[in-house]
PDB file of all heavy atoms in Angstrom:
ATOM      1  N   ARG D   1      -2.224  -1.798  17.647  1.00 98.00           N
ATOM      2  CA  ARG D   1      -1.675  -2.941  18.370  1.00 98.00           C
ATOM      3  C   ARG D   1      -0.162  -2.645  18.645  1.00 98.00           C
ATOM      4  O   ARG D   1       0.549  -3.637  19.024  1.00 98.00           O
ATOM      5  CB  ARG D   1      -1.865  -4.255  17.528  1.00 98.00           C
ATOM      6  CG  ARG D   1      -3.297  -4.720  17.600  1.00 98.00           C
ATOM      7  CD  ARG D   1      -3.781  -4.884  18.994  1.00 98.00           C
ATOM      8  NE  ARG D   1      -5.141  -5.415  19.074  1.00 98.00           N
ATOM      9  CZ  ARG D   1      -6.198  -4.624  19.432  1.00 98.00           C
ATOM     10  NH1 ARG D   1      -6.033  -3.284  19.570  1.00 98.00           N
ATOM     11  NH2 ARG D   1      -7.333  -5.165  19.474  1.00 98.00           N
ATOM     12  N   GLY D   2       0.374  -1.502  18.476  1.00 98.00           N
ATOM     13  CA  GLY D   2       1.675  -1.160  18.947  1.00 98.00           C
ATOM     14  C   GLY D   2       2.845  -1.573  18.058  1.00 98.00           C
ATOM     15  O   GLY D   2       3.976  -1.629  18.458  1.00 98.00           O
ATOM     16  N   ASP D   3       2.511  -1.838  16.781  1.00 98.00           N
ATOM     17  CA  ASP D   3       3.493  -2.359  15.823  1.00 98.00           C
ATOM     18  C   ASP D   3       3.811  -1.357  14.801  1.00 98.00           C
ATOM     19  O   ASP D   3       3.346  -1.400  13.683  1.00 98.00           O
ATOM     20  CB  ASP D   3       3.176  -3.658  15.180  1.00 98.00           C
ATOM     21  CG  ASP D   3       4.319  -4.429  14.487  1.00 98.00           C
ATOM     22  OD1 ASP D   3       5.253  -3.680  14.107  1.00 98.00           O
ATOM     23  OD2 ASP D   3       4.232  -5.654  14.509  1.00 98.00           O
ATOM     24  N   GLU D   4       4.647  -0.275  15.100  1.00 98.00           N
ATOM     25  CA  GLU D   4       4.949   0.766  14.195  1.00 98.00           C
ATOM     26  C   GLU D   4       5.624   0.349  12.975  1.00 98.00           C
ATOM     27  O   GLU D   4       5.440   0.824  11.823  1.00 98.00           O
ATOM     28  CB  GLU D   4       5.776   1.877  14.864  1.00 98.00           C
ATOM     29  CG  GLU D   4       6.080   3.116  13.983  1.00 98.00           C
ATOM     30  CD  GLU D   4       4.877   3.834  13.479  1.00 98.00           C
ATOM     31  OE1 GLU D   4       3.797   3.792  14.165  1.00 98.00           O
ATOM     32  OE2 GLU D   4       4.939   4.450  12.425  1.00 98.00           O
ATOM     33  N   VAL D   5       6.571  -0.696  13.069  1.00 98.00           N
ATOM     34  CA  VAL D   5       7.292  -1.128  11.946  1.00 98.00           C
ATOM     35  C   VAL D   5       6.341  -1.726  10.961  1.00 98.00           C
ATOM     36  O   VAL D   5       6.514  -1.528   9.738  1.00 98.00           O
ATOM     37  CB  VAL D   5       8.359  -2.228  12.456  1.00 98.00           C
ATOM     38  CG1 VAL D   5       9.056  -2.879  11.283  1.00 98.00           C
ATOM     39  CG2 VAL D   5       9.464  -1.568  13.384  1.00 98.00           C
ATOM     40  N   LEU D   6       5.473  -2.636  11.393  1.00 98.00           N
ATOM     41  CA  LEU D   6       4.494  -3.243  10.530  1.00 98.00           C
ATOM     42  C   LEU D   6       3.627  -2.072   9.853  1.00 98.00           C
ATOM     43  O   LEU D   6       3.407  -2.201   8.614  1.00 98.00           O
ATOM     44  CB  LEU D   6       3.556  -4.208  11.264  1.00 98.00           C
ATOM     45  CG  LEU D   6       2.559  -4.814  10.457  1.00 98.00           C
ATOM     46  CD1 LEU D   6       3.115  -5.759   9.363  1.00 98.00           C
ATOM     47  CD2 LEU D   6       1.587  -5.728  11.363  1.00 98.00           C
ATOM     48  N   ALA D   7       3.182  -1.124  10.594  1.00 98.00           N
ATOM     49  CA  ALA D   7       2.444  -0.076  10.015  1.00 98.00           C
ATOM     50  C   ALA D   7       3.118   0.653   8.810  1.00 98.00           C
ATOM     51  O   ALA D   7       2.642   0.882   7.767  1.00 98.00           O
ATOM     52  CB  ALA D   7       2.000   0.955  11.085  1.00 98.00           C
ATOM     53  N   GLU D   8       4.436   0.906   9.071  1.00 98.00           N
ATOM     54  CA  GLU D   8       5.256   1.587   7.992  1.00 98.00           C
ATOM     55  C   GLU D   8       5.420   0.664   6.767  1.00 98.00           C
ATOM     56  O   GLU D   8       5.412   1.145   5.630  1.00 98.00           O
ATOM     57  CB  GLU D   8       6.526   2.017   8.576  1.00 98.00           C
ATOM     58  CG  GLU D   8       6.360   3.096   9.639  1.00 98.00           C
ATOM     59  CD  GLU D   8       7.719   3.597  10.217  1.00 98.00           C
ATOM     60  OE1 GLU D   8       8.787   2.989   9.883  1.00 98.00           O
ATOM     61  OE2 GLU D   8       7.742   4.453  11.172  1.00 98.00           O
ATOM     62  N   ARG D   9       5.592  -0.634   7.006  1.00 98.00           N
ATOM     63  CA  ARG D   9       5.723  -1.589   5.937  1.00 98.00           C
ATOM     64  C   ARG D   9       4.441  -1.614   5.070  1.00 98.00           C
ATOM     65  O   ARG D   9       4.445  -1.633   3.866  1.00 98.00           O
ATOM     66  CB  ARG D   9       6.079  -2.939   6.391  1.00 98.00           C
ATOM     67  CG  ARG D   9       7.483  -3.081   7.003  1.00 98.00           C
ATOM     68  CD  ARG D   9       7.676  -4.419   7.622  1.00 98.00           C
ATOM     69  NE  ARG D   9       7.801  -5.497   6.663  1.00 98.00           N
ATOM     70  CZ  ARG D   9       7.598  -6.794   6.978  1.00 98.00           C
ATOM     71  NH1 ARG D   9       7.313  -7.145   8.236  1.00 98.00           N
ATOM     72  NH2 ARG D   9       7.766  -7.728   6.023  1.00 98.00           N
ATOM     73  N   ILE D  10       3.257  -1.674   5.850  1.00 98.00           N
ATOM     74  CA  ILE D  10       2.013  -1.667   5.138  1.00 98.00           C
ATOM     75  C   ILE D  10       1.829  -0.375   4.230  1.00 98.00           C
ATOM     76  O   ILE D  10       1.395  -0.450   3.076  1.00 98.00           O
ATOM     77  CB  ILE D  10       0.804  -1.804   6.122  1.00 98.00           C
ATOM     78  CG1 ILE D  10       0.820  -3.147   6.797  1.00 98.00           C
ATOM     79  CG2 ILE D  10      -0.546  -1.525   5.415  1.00 98.00           C
ATOM     80  CD1 ILE D  10      -0.057  -3.262   7.969  1.00 98.00           C
ATOM     81  N   GLU D  11       2.181   0.750   4.770  1.00 98.00           N
ATOM     82  CA  GLU D  11       2.059   2.030   4.069  1.00 98.00           C
ATOM     83  C   GLU D  11       2.933   2.054   2.794  1.00 98.00           C
ATOM     84  O   GLU D  11       2.521   2.493   1.780  1.00 98.00           O
ATOM     85  CB  GLU D  11       2.314   3.157   4.973  1.00 98.00           C
ATOM     86  CG  GLU D  11       1.285   3.390   5.981  1.00 98.00           C
ATOM     87  CD  GLU D  11       1.622   4.486   7.053  1.00 98.00           C
ATOM     88  OE1 GLU D  11       2.849   4.623   7.283  1.00 98.00           O
ATOM     89  OE2 GLU D  11       0.713   5.059   7.656  1.00 98.00           O
ATOM     90  N   ALA D  12       4.121   1.513   2.943  1.00 98.00           N
ATOM     91  CA  ALA D  12       5.127   1.583   1.877  1.00 98.00           C
ATOM     92  C   ALA D  12       4.670   0.639   0.731  1.00 98.00           C
ATOM     93  O   ALA D  12       4.698   1.015  -0.387  1.00 98.00           O
ATOM     94  CB  ALA D  12       6.543   1.160   2.327  1.00 98.00           C
ATOM     95  N   ILE D  13       4.248  -0.573   1.112  1.00 98.00           N
ATOM     96  CA  ILE D  13       3.768  -1.425   0.092  1.00 98.00           C
ATOM     97  C   ILE D  13       2.390  -0.991  -0.543  1.00 98.00           C
ATOM     98  O   ILE D  13       2.132  -1.116  -1.652  1.00 98.00           O
ATOM     99  CB  ILE D  13       3.643  -2.871   0.650  1.00 98.00           C
ATOM    100  CG1 ILE D  13       4.975  -3.377   1.074  1.00 98.00           C
ATOM    101  CG2 ILE D  13       3.021  -3.903  -0.395  1.00 98.00           C
ATOM    102  CD1 ILE D  13       4.937  -4.612   1.942  1.00 98.00           C
ATOM    103  N   GLY D  14       1.516  -0.455   0.373  1.00 97.00           N
ATOM    104  CA  GLY D  14       0.224   0.041  -0.052  1.00 97.00           C
ATOM    105  C   GLY D  14       0.359   1.138  -1.044  1.00 97.00           C
ATOM    106  O   GLY D  14      -0.484   1.282  -1.961  1.00 97.00           O
ATOM    107  N   ALA D  15       1.452   1.925  -1.040  1.00 98.00           N
ATOM    108  CA  ALA D  15       1.668   3.052  -1.913  1.00 98.00           C
ATOM    109  C   ALA D  15       1.904   2.435  -3.367  1.00 98.00           C
ATOM    110  O   ALA D  15       1.684   3.166  -4.326  1.00 98.00           O
ATOM    111  CB  ALA D  15       2.785   3.905  -1.509  1.00 98.00           C
ATOM    112  N   LYS D  16       2.353   1.234  -3.436  1.00 98.00           N
ATOM    113  CA  LYS D  16       2.453   0.635  -4.799  1.00 98.00           C
ATOM    114  C   LYS D  16       1.410  -0.509  -5.001  1.00 98.00           C
ATOM    115  O   LYS D  16       1.659  -1.376  -5.918  1.00 98.00           O
ATOM    116  CB  LYS D  16       3.935   0.006  -4.805  1.00 98.00           C
ATOM    117  CG  LYS D  16       4.978   1.069  -4.794  1.00 98.00           C
ATOM    118  CD  LYS D  16       6.320   0.550  -5.273  1.00 98.00           C
ATOM    119  CE  LYS D  16       7.341   1.659  -5.299  1.00 98.00           C
ATOM    120  NZ  LYS D  16       8.555   1.209  -5.982  1.00 98.00           N
ATOM    121  N   THR D  17       0.440  -0.538  -4.280  1.00 98.00           N
ATOM    122  CA  THR D  17      -0.668  -1.468  -4.443  1.00 98.00           C
ATOM    123  C   THR D  17      -1.975  -0.740  -5.012  1.00 98.00           C
ATOM    124  O   THR D  17      -2.351   0.313  -4.494  1.00 98.00           O
ATOM    125  CB  THR D  17      -1.097  -2.124  -3.146  1.00 98.00           C
ATOM    126  OG1 THR D  17       0.083  -2.769  -2.685  1.00 98.00           O
ATOM    127  CG2 THR D  17      -2.236  -3.144  -3.286  1.00 98.00           C
ATOM    128  N   TYR D  18      -2.480  -1.227  -6.135  1.00 98.00           N
ATOM    129  CA  TYR D  18      -3.532  -0.560  -6.915  1.00 98.00           C
ATOM    130  C   TYR D  18      -4.744  -1.349  -7.168  1.00 98.00           C
ATOM    131  O   TYR D  18      -4.621  -2.574  -7.443  1.00 98.00           O
ATOM    132  CB  TYR D  18      -2.948   0.019  -8.201  1.00 98.00           C
ATOM    133  CG  TYR D  18      -1.859   0.931  -8.192  1.00 98.00           C
ATOM    134  CD1 TYR D  18      -0.497   0.476  -8.153  1.00 98.00           C
ATOM    135  CD2 TYR D  18      -2.036   2.302  -8.144  1.00 98.00           C
ATOM    136  CE1 TYR D  18       0.521   1.356  -8.089  1.00 98.00           C
ATOM    137  CE2 TYR D  18      -0.999   3.248  -8.095  1.00 98.00           C
ATOM    138  CZ  TYR D  18       0.293   2.698  -8.058  1.00 98.00           C
ATOM    139  OH  TYR D  18       1.357   3.616  -8.021  1.00 98.00           O
ATOM    140  N   GLU D  19      -5.869  -0.746  -7.061  1.00 98.00           N
ATOM    141  CA  GLU D  19      -7.155  -1.338  -7.609  1.00 98.00           C
ATOM    142  C   GLU D  19      -6.952  -1.219  -9.141  1.00 98.00           C
ATOM    143  O   GLU D  19      -6.320  -0.368  -9.675  1.00 98.00           O
ATOM    144  CB  GLU D  19      -8.260  -0.484  -7.147  1.00 98.00           C
ATOM    145  CG  GLU D  19      -9.636  -0.993  -7.627  1.00 98.00           C
ATOM    146  CD  GLU D  19      -9.964  -0.377  -9.055  1.00 98.00           C
ATOM    147  OE1 GLU D  19      -9.412   0.638  -9.424  1.00 98.00           O
ATOM    148  OE2 GLU D  19     -10.690  -1.103  -9.739  1.00 98.00           O
ATOM    149  N   LEU D  20      -7.475  -2.209  -9.875  1.00 98.00           N
ATOM    150  CA  LEU D  20      -7.280  -2.372 -11.272  1.00 98.00           C
ATOM    151  C   LEU D  20      -7.549  -1.081 -12.107  1.00 98.00           C
ATOM    152  O   LEU D  20      -6.734  -0.614 -12.904  1.00 98.00           O
ATOM    153  CB  LEU D  20      -8.149  -3.468 -11.844  1.00 98.00           C
ATOM    154  CG  LEU D  20      -7.978  -3.758 -13.374  1.00 98.00           C
ATOM    155  CD1 LEU D  20      -6.602  -4.105 -13.793  1.00 98.00           C
ATOM    156  CD2 LEU D  20      -9.050  -4.804 -13.788  1.00 98.00           C
ATOM    157  N   CYS D  21      -8.712  -0.477 -11.957  1.00 98.00           N
ATOM    158  CA  CYS D  21      -9.097   0.680 -12.765  1.00 98.00           C
ATOM    159  C   CYS D  21      -8.129   1.824 -12.428  1.00 98.00           C
ATOM    160  O   CYS D  21      -7.794   2.520 -13.414  1.00 98.00           O
ATOM    161  CB  CYS D  21     -10.558   1.119 -12.434  1.00 98.00           C
ATOM    162  SG  CYS D  21     -11.807  -0.073 -12.933  1.00 98.00           S
ATOM    163  N   THR D  22      -7.757   2.063 -11.230  1.00 97.00           N
ATOM    164  CA  THR D  22      -6.793   3.122 -10.903  1.00 97.00           C
ATOM    165  C   THR D  22      -5.375   2.858 -11.523  1.00 97.00           C
ATOM    166  O   THR D  22      -4.760   3.718 -12.099  1.00 97.00           O
ATOM    167  CB  THR D  22      -6.649   3.215  -9.451  1.00 97.00           C
ATOM    168  OG1 THR D  22      -7.839   3.496  -8.786  1.00 97.00           O
ATOM    169  CG2 THR D  22      -5.610   4.332  -8.999  1.00 97.00           C
ATOM    170  N   PHE D  23      -4.980   1.548 -11.507  1.00 98.00           N
ATOM    171  CA  PHE D  23      -3.707   1.206 -12.154  1.00 98.00           C
ATOM    172  C   PHE D  23      -3.790   1.501 -13.642  1.00 98.00           C
ATOM    173  O   PHE D  23      -2.825   2.141 -14.206  1.00 98.00           O
ATOM    174  CB  PHE D  23      -3.370  -0.256 -12.001  1.00 98.00           C
ATOM    175  CG  PHE D  23      -2.104  -0.706 -12.604  1.00 98.00           C
ATOM    176  CD1 PHE D  23      -0.874  -0.415 -12.030  1.00 98.00           C
ATOM    177  CD2 PHE D  23      -2.122  -1.144 -13.895  1.00 98.00           C
ATOM    178  CE1 PHE D  23       0.316  -0.758 -12.645  1.00 98.00           C
ATOM    179  CE2 PHE D  23      -0.945  -1.628 -14.544  1.00 98.00           C
ATOM    180  CZ  PHE D  23       0.242  -1.406 -13.974  1.00 98.00           C
ATOM    181  N   LEU D  24      -4.851   1.189 -14.295  1.00 98.00           N
ATOM    182  CA  LEU D  24      -4.928   1.350 -15.799  1.00 98.00           C
ATOM    183  C   LEU D  24      -4.977   2.840 -16.118  1.00 98.00           C
ATOM    184  O   LEU D  24      -4.202   3.244 -17.041  1.00 98.00           O
ATOM    185  CB  LEU D  24      -6.226   0.686 -16.275  1.00 98.00           C
ATOM    186  CG  LEU D  24      -6.267  -0.818 -16.167  1.00 98.00           C
ATOM    187  CD1 LEU D  24      -7.691  -1.321 -16.469  1.00 98.00           C
ATOM    188  CD2 LEU D  24      -5.291  -1.464 -17.040  1.00 98.00           C
ATOM    189  N   THR D  25      -5.758   3.625 -15.443  1.00 98.00           N
ATOM    190  CA  THR D  25      -5.844   5.019 -15.855  1.00 98.00           C
ATOM    191  C   THR D  25      -4.679   5.854 -15.300  1.00 98.00           C
ATOM    192  O   THR D  25      -4.132   6.789 -15.968  1.00 98.00           O
ATOM    193  CB  THR D  25      -7.137   5.697 -15.205  1.00 98.00           C
ATOM    194  OG1 THR D  25      -7.098   5.561 -13.793  1.00 98.00           O
ATOM    195  CG2 THR D  25      -8.318   5.060 -15.838  1.00 98.00           C
ATOM    196  N   ASP D  26      -4.113   5.563 -14.049  1.00 97.00           N
ATOM    197  CA  ASP D  26      -3.107   6.465 -13.424  1.00 97.00           C
ATOM    198  C   ASP D  26      -1.629   5.929 -13.667  1.00 97.00           C
ATOM    199  O   ASP D  26      -0.695   6.759 -13.730  1.00 97.00           O
ATOM    200  CB  ASP D  26      -3.386   6.575 -11.991  1.00 97.00           C
ATOM    201  CG  ASP D  26      -4.627   7.213 -11.601  1.00 97.00           C
ATOM    202  OD1 ASP D  26      -5.548   7.422 -12.510  1.00 97.00           O
ATOM    203  OD2 ASP D  26      -4.812   7.592 -10.418  1.00 97.00           O
TER     204      ASP D  26
END
């Protein structure tokens, strides 16, 4: 939808967003 700024924000926050099992083990 042409929003590169939003895409980069999602990727940055997503890198620190975890599913519970992954957070616990990793």
Side-chain angles (χ1 to χ4, degrees):
R1 288 301 181 260
D3 195 333
E4 179 63 27
V5 172
L6 178 62
E8 292 177 0
R9 290 172 73 198
I10 294 170
E11 289 173 336
I13 298 168
K16 295 194 172 192
T17 299
Y18 298 89
E19 181 276 333
L20 177 62
C21 293
T22 301
F23 179 82
L24 294 169
T25 58
D26 296 13

